[in-house]
Amino acid sequence: MTDIWQRLPTRGKILCLVLLAAAIAAPLVADRYLLSVLILVFYFAYLGQAWNLLMGFAGQLSLGHALYLGLGAYTATALWTLFGIGPWIGVFVAIPVAAAAGMVVGWLGWRFAIEGVYFALLTIAFAEFTRIGFDHLQITGASAGMFLSVNSPGSDKWWNLGGGPLLYYYLAFILAAAATLLVARLRRSPLGYRWLAVREDPEAARAAGIDIFRAKMIAMLISAGMTAVGGVFYGFYYRNLFPSQVFDIGRSIEIIMAPIIGGLGTVFGPVVGAVLLTPLGESLTALMQHFGVNTPGAKSIFYGLTLMVIITLQPSGVWPWLARKLGLDNRPRP
Amino acid sequence: MTEHKTESNTGHNTALLAVAGISKRFRGLAAVSHVSFEVRPGEIFAVIGPNGAGKTTLFNMIAGAFAPDEGSITFAGERIEGLRSDQIARRGIGRTFQLVRPFPALTVEDNVIIGALMQTKTVHDAEKIARDILARLDLLDKRAQIASSLTLPDRKRLEVARALATGPRLLLLDEVMAGLRPTETDRIVATLRDLNRDGVTILLIEHVMRAVTALASRILVLHHGAAIAEGDPEHVLRDPAVVESYLGAESL
Amino acid sequence: MTAITLNIIVQGILTGLVYGLMALGLSVIFGVMRVVNFAHGEFTVVAMYAAFLLFDMLGVSPLLSLLPIAAAFFFLGYVLQRALVEPFISRAEHEQFILLVGLATVVVNGLLLIFGPDAHPINLPYSFDSYTIGPMFIDKVRVFAALGALAICVALFLFFRYTRTGTAIRACADNLTGAGVVGLNVKQLYAVTFGLGFACIGAAGTLMATIADASPGLAPAYTLLAFVIVIIGGLGSMAGALVGGVLIGISEALAGFYIQPSMKSMFSFALLIIVLVLRPQGLMGRRL
């Protein structure tokens, strides 16, 4: 960990500390609405880190991360509503469930040499398959959804994630910070190097002794497991779950936005992307509502256009460019 | 004559790499047929032949890109034919690619660290190994550059550096001199000779005869997928069949 | 096999041919340009709305608007390729994909914004008529749609086989460098290919509008359906797209009748997974 810290230039260290302090102190000044936006920022930064691990580092495009999000959400929520098992224990069931699903997808895809966009299609197919399955799964309420009681006596406790926005704020913040640290650490680990090699050139990676199937499977395992934790957060934060929402392709696309905008394969990209994008999307919604336009599609159109513009003009994302501008890029330029 | 004697004296047990009767057909076309040879520890062995003679196919079978249809490949006493390329790499065979393929978006140093991580568990140690090798190949001051920004000679050196970083007992070099200027060639030749002196056995495919004669202790000549001559450079390069099929055609 | 099962299979085949035409568009674009059109279903639904509007506002039967819509979509595809996709041809696969994911998101939500989430049916005078063949009742609209799809597929086959442009496009697909060397205008041919793919979409969407009600919710489902069909049939194989379409049509019809309509696409995905495991190159695809 100290190693990562030392690699940062002084300016970066100061900026990191200032931002961390600001994030910790934010609830003192932020109102309820601003807090809810910040919760989303951290939530998307966290999920972005999870997805970026698989796509940005190991180079495997998944457009079905809603699968792991939904499985995580449903597992923990069902354990709590059906058996009274709290989310702090439930999360340790949710992680292996999603990771196992990830293994199935990865194994089917990579064992049979389904690469690139075809792999992406396979991930969508699995997410859709599961969505339809949950639409008919009676025990979790099928398509009518599953609900957590709001403010019923005894539910307002940290141990069952029944608290107010402050609890969720700090929880989301810790998740995002921990994920960023984890990714930074993995990036400089042997595993991280192997992922980069697989991403850059699978055949050359093999020649360097790397078992590329194994490397990809590990990336999938961690990415799916992390996403499941985000799913547990989703389930308890929103307190309702519908297969058509949590497993939706739109959910998967939401997850990939921050890392793509921020910068694929960079440690800070997903964070920067979430910080830039979420407030924009939210204020757009607020603005539309202010003018009395209530259209569910507007935010998605904005996301879609942003994707198109960024991928056309700045395919490596905002962060590499921003880091250079701020002098945080400690790599000597050629 | 003396060369011939030593060859019969070195049995299977002393060969580092023993290729015995391997063949490969692509859609019925024989790319390599019944080729056998042995590479002894510490030597530089060259495979030459005109384009399409099956050199790269032979190489790819040794490196595990695909399995031979028949025959066996033994490395350090262990059968390796049909293993995956990463398994073969881990047994101690490092390779370069004919069309160089360093990891394009990574720095020179990261490229070599990835190779070095095969022989060590920690990034810290891998960095040390990488520095040593980069220094050896004159790439140390370019270590922070992105691989895709290097010139072709530098990319070729990087490719050798990455293969070397895996700590191979046998280094397979697929036309590393092709497309280089004579001074560049001489530089790589010197480096390879240096490496060989430190105990790395080298098997190379090469078109640049200047490099082959300067380096190889023994040569195998392939023609239409079959071995037509094998032995020390002096004899092989004067062999009428070789002159006719290959050298003659090129020098005319 | 009971008469009712046979009846369902025949209906499935007819729907499947329309699916096949839609998938053919995807297959043609991919086969030539190696670009995966992720907005395929989205534009299919745009064509459905076009057919609906022409019918609703001007009273034009979809069978009449079929060719004009296909032609308009040809130009739409041509322009899209020139303006949007062309700069991405030589870029990384995932970048092309993300561009089209963005486009798909814009299109489907645009439809939602304009038309709302409700379904828009086209009620033709013969919408509920059917032919009686032995013990079977076959929907009249489905027969028309299938025949229309088949006719356009045949026309496309002939185009690729016998015209100069068709042959040139096949040359680009086989050997891009070679095509450039012999002086083919690859950019132009790519735009034509994209246009042809979109003409398939336009025609398929128009025909689809007669057998299904247009709604934005169909768009992602159709994109997936097209992918599933193309992967099952074999990438880049024109016959494969039709075979895959018919297979999915049958599977959907049987699952919809015997199990539950809302679960029918689960069986398509299961079929996809089985094909991927047993024959990754698809039914009609060549081994790589």
Side-chain angles (χ1 to χ4, degrees), chain C residues 145-191:
Chain C
L147 288 177
L150 212 52
I152 288 173
C153 288
V154 169
L156 207 61
F157 274 114
L158 295 176
F159 170 80
F160 278 118
R161 184 66 53 194
Y162 295 109
T163 66
R164 277 182 78 91
T165 316
T167 318
I169 289 175
R170 281 192 294 136
C172 285
D174 283 346
N175 184 344
L176 187 54
T177 343
V181 168
V182 299
L184 294 176
N185 183 347
V186 175
K187 274 190 185 182
Q188 171 80 9
L189 290 173
Y190 273 2

Side-chain angles (χ1 to χ4, degrees), chain A residues 51 55 61 63 107-108 112 114-118 120-122 124-126 128-133 136 249 253 256 260 264 288 295-298 300-305 307-316, chain C residues 30 36 38 84 87-88 91 93-107 109-113 220-221 224 227-228 230-231 235 260 262-267 269-270 272-273 276-278 280 288:
Chain A
W51 181 79
M55 172 63 201
L61 179 56
L63 282 178
W107 186 82
L108 263 176
F112 297 95
I114 297 159
E115 306 280 345
V117 287
Y118 299 101
L121 296 174
L122 190 72
I124 303 175
F126 268 97
E128 281 293 294
F129 184 85
T130 313
R131 176 181 66 77
I132 301 166
H136 296 87
I249 171 94
I253 288 174
I256 77 174
I260 290 176
L264 280 173
M288 304 268 295
T295 47
S300 299
I301 291 181
F302 166 72
Y303 280 164
L305 285 174
L307 269 185
M308 290 170 71
V309 169
I310 290 283
I311 206 71
T312 306
L313 301 179
Q314 191 67 266
S316 56
Chain C
F30 177 83
V36 177
F38 193 79
L84 204 65
F88 278 78
R91 288 181 40 181
E93 208 178 31
H94 75 266
E95 290 178 11
Q96 301 172 347
F97 202 53
I98 287 165
L99 176 81
L100 287 157
V101 167
L103 181 62
T105 310
V106 171
V107 171
N109 288 288
L111 287 174
L112 195 64
L113 215 59
L224 277 175
F227 284 132
V228 169
V230 164
I231 294 178
L235 288 158
Q260 209 170 57
S262 59
M263 286 178 87
K264 64 186 183 185
S265 48
M266 253 180 123
F267 289 85
F269 292 132
L272 168 76
I273 292 165
L276 282 178
V277 172
L278 298 180
L288 298 172

Side-chain angles (χ1 to χ4, degrees), chain C residues 26-27 34 46 50 62 67 83 96 113 140 158 167 174 177 203 211 253:
Chain C
L26 189 71
S27 196
R34 304 278 133 185
V46 171
L67 289 178
Q96 301 172 347
L113 215 59
K140 206 168 173 178
L158 295 176
T167 318
D174 283 346
T177 343
I211 54 179

Side-chain angles (χ1 to χ4, degrees), chain A residues 8 17 47 51 54 61 68 102 109 129 145 168 181 211 237-238 262-263 276 289 306-307 314 334:
Chain A
L8 280 175
L17 289 177
L47 289 177
W51 181 79
L54 186 62
L61 179 56
Y68 318 119
F129 184 85
Y168 285 98
L181 272 179
D211 182 342
Y237 180 59
Y238 288 109
L276 289 178
Q289 274 165 355
T306 312
L307 269 185
Q314 191 67 266

Side-chain angles (χ1 to χ4, degrees), chain B residues 28-169:
Chain B
L29 199 80
V32 169
S33 44
H34 307 290
V35 170
S36 305
F37 64 95
E38 290 186 351
V39 179
R40 301 172 200 138
E43 77 172 333
I44 299 183
F45 189 98
V47 178
I48 63 171
N51 278 328
K55 301 183 302 284
T56 296
T57 305
L58 178 69
F59 233 55
N60 280 333
M61 285 189 280
I62 299 170
F66 39 72
D69 295 333
E70 56 182 319
S72 73
I73 305 169
T74 312
F75 178 70
E78 191 190 354
R79 294 282 287 269
I80 58 162
E81 76 270 10
L83 291 181
R84 284 198 316 267
S85 47
D86 56 292
Q87 295 170 321
I88 288 176
R90 281 201 296 274
R91 278 164 176 73
I93 298 183
R95 76 164 295 182
T96 66
F97 292 90
Q98 188 177 2
L99 299 169
V100 285
R101 44 204 310 177
F103 303 119
L106 307 186
T107 63
V108 167
E109 186 173 26
D110 283 352
N111 261 276
V112 183
I113 287 175
I114 287 167
L117 280 167
M118 207 183 87
Q119 46 167 327
T120 171
K121 288 267 170 284
T122 71
V123 173
H124 186 254
D125 290 348
E127 276 170 351
K128 260 193 283 185
I129 296 171
R131 296 270 166 129
D132 285 350
I133 287 170
L134 286 172
R136 262 202 115 133
L137 283 152
D138 288 339
L139 284 169
L140 197 57
D141 45 343
K142 291 178 179 144
R143 65 181 181 276
Q145 281 188 32
I146 300 296
S148 59
S149 73
L150 295 179
T151 59
L152 180 68
D154 280 343
R155 266 181 290 159
K156 294 210 157 186
R157 303 180 82 80
L158 176 56
E159 184 104 340
V160 176
R162 187 180 61 199
L164 210 54
T166 63
R169 294 168 67 188

